[in-house]
Amino acid sequence: MSLILFYGVPEGCSFGSIVSLEWSGLPYRLCRIEMPETVSGDEYRRINTVGETPSLLLPDGRLINESMAILNHIAAQSLANGLGFAQGTAEFDRLNQMLAYLNTSFFGAFGPLWHAVEHELGPAEKELLVAYGTAKVEKAHGTLERLLAGRKWLLGDKPGIADAYFTGIARWNDFHMVVDRRQFPAVNDLYQRMIQLPAVRFAHAIEHREKAGSAGNFLGEVGLEEALGLLRQAA
Ligand SMILES: N[C@@H](CCC(=O)N[C@@H](CS)C(=O)NCC(=O)O)C(=O)O
């Protein structure tokens, strides 16, 4: 059995994991999870008790939840091609630190905005949440702009796992439209460069059910029922 990534649509933060798998060269399959319906159902909770995407099923039947753990797993399997770094090295610490920032502050900044969209609220509550979310998204963009000072990519001299995860979250601003990304030129440049990359275009095509050409080792999609069967067999 190859790796299976359970990715959420629409607009899931699993996006960065798909891009990272493409770059890793590891053989993998994808299992599409519709949000909020399938992700909160009993079937999917057998994969991910929390009821969130992404999740990664390993060839030995173990499951890994949480983007940070999944991205770090992919990185650890990809030391030879420079996508990941050995634990204990400065590069590992920098990647882990950047992923933690993206997974907490950057991801979390959009929380109030998603809440305002996904819940029935009165106008005053909505306004407050949007104002709070906007301030948080602006602040996070300012921080990323400083982190990118003098750099083309978030870390190192080529696109990497942190850039992939960043891209999957940064696009949420295109939905909420709370900051003009052009006011953060380094963030905007990074985003514009990322969306041209073949692995990013592949992940986008997968999410939108468009013709998707993999330059990695993508072995096809698998349904949730089949994936649960494979999980049972591996157990
Ligand atoms: N801490 C988790 C958060 C995952 C998460 O919030 N995933 C969202 C999609 S980006 C989800 O599955 N939401 C469930 C829903 O929308 O019902 C991680 O970093 O992986």
Side-chain angles (χ1 to χ4, degrees):
M1 180 173 72
S2 66
L3 292 167
I4 299 177
L5 179 79
F6 299 83
Y7 70 101
V9 285
E11 298 276 316
C13 51
S14 321
F15 191 87
S17 295
I18 302 178
V19 174
S20 300
L21 280 169
E22 271 291 284
W23 286 337
S24 73
L26 297 166
Y28 72 99
R29 290 198 279 171
L30 291 171
C31 180
R32 185 181 188 86
I33 303 296
E34 301 286 340
M35 302 184 294
E37 303 84 5
T38 315
V39 79
S40 54
D42 290 343
E43 296 260 274
Y44 183 65
R45 276 187 198 274
R46 285 153 63 193
I47 300 291
N48 183 318
T49 339
V50 182
E52 287 177 344
T53 52
S55 280
L56 187 67
L57 177 57
L58 307 188
D60 65 6
R62 279 185 298 134
L63 279 162
I64 304 182
N65 301 330
E66 296 294 328
S67 297
M68 279 210 58
I70 291 168
L71 294 169
N72 269 319
H73 178 87
I74 297 168
Q77 301 298 317
S78 314
L79 301 185
N81 66 11
L83 197 58
F85 310 100
Q87 192 161 10
T89 61
E91 289 90 348
F92 174 91
D93 291 340
R94 275 202 294 271
L95 173 58
N96 208 24
Q97 174 178 297
M98 186 61 77
L99 287 178
Y101 177 75
L102 295 171
N103 189 234
T104 57
S105 303
F106 193 43
F107 179 110
F110 289 90
L113 300 171
W114 286 121
H115 192 91
V117 169
E118 289 164 359
H119 296 82
E120 297 254 327
L121 302 167
E125 286 172 305
K126 211 169 195 122
E127 201 179 313
L128 192 66
L129 279 172
V130 170
Y132 181 44
T134 302
K136 282 167 72 85
V137 170
E138 261 170 12
K139 183 173 178 217
H141 275 71
T143 302
L144 286 169
E145 186 71 14
R146 285 193 300 282
L147 290 172
L148 278 164
R151 323 189 49 85
K152 203 167 163 194
W153 311 102
L154 280 168
L155 299 165
D157 54 8
K158 60 174 188 175
I161 286 181
D163 303 298
Y165 185 57
F166 154 83
T167 306
I169 295 167
R171 64 192 177 143
W172 291 345
N173 184 61
D174 298 337
F175 176 80
H176 295 290
M177 292 203 287
V178 290
V179 299
D180 178 353
R181 205 182 285 116
R182 290 167 306 179
Q183 288 178 354
F184 305 91
V187 177
N188 190 44
D189 279 3
L190 173 62
Y191 186 74
Q192 297 304 331
R193 262 181 282 113
M194 284 299 294
I195 59 176
Q196 303 302 328
L197 298 179
V200 174
R201 294 165 86 108
F202 169 81
H204 181 87
I206 285 286
E207 283 189 343
H208 290 81
R209 290 203 188 281
E210 290 162 4
K211 199 166 175 294
S214 170
N217 213 341
F218 174 54
L219 303 178
E221 297 245 8
V222 54
L224 179 54
E225 230 169 89
E226 190 188 339
L228 285 167
L230 291 168
L231 176 64
R232 271 194 302 273
Q233 277 170 29

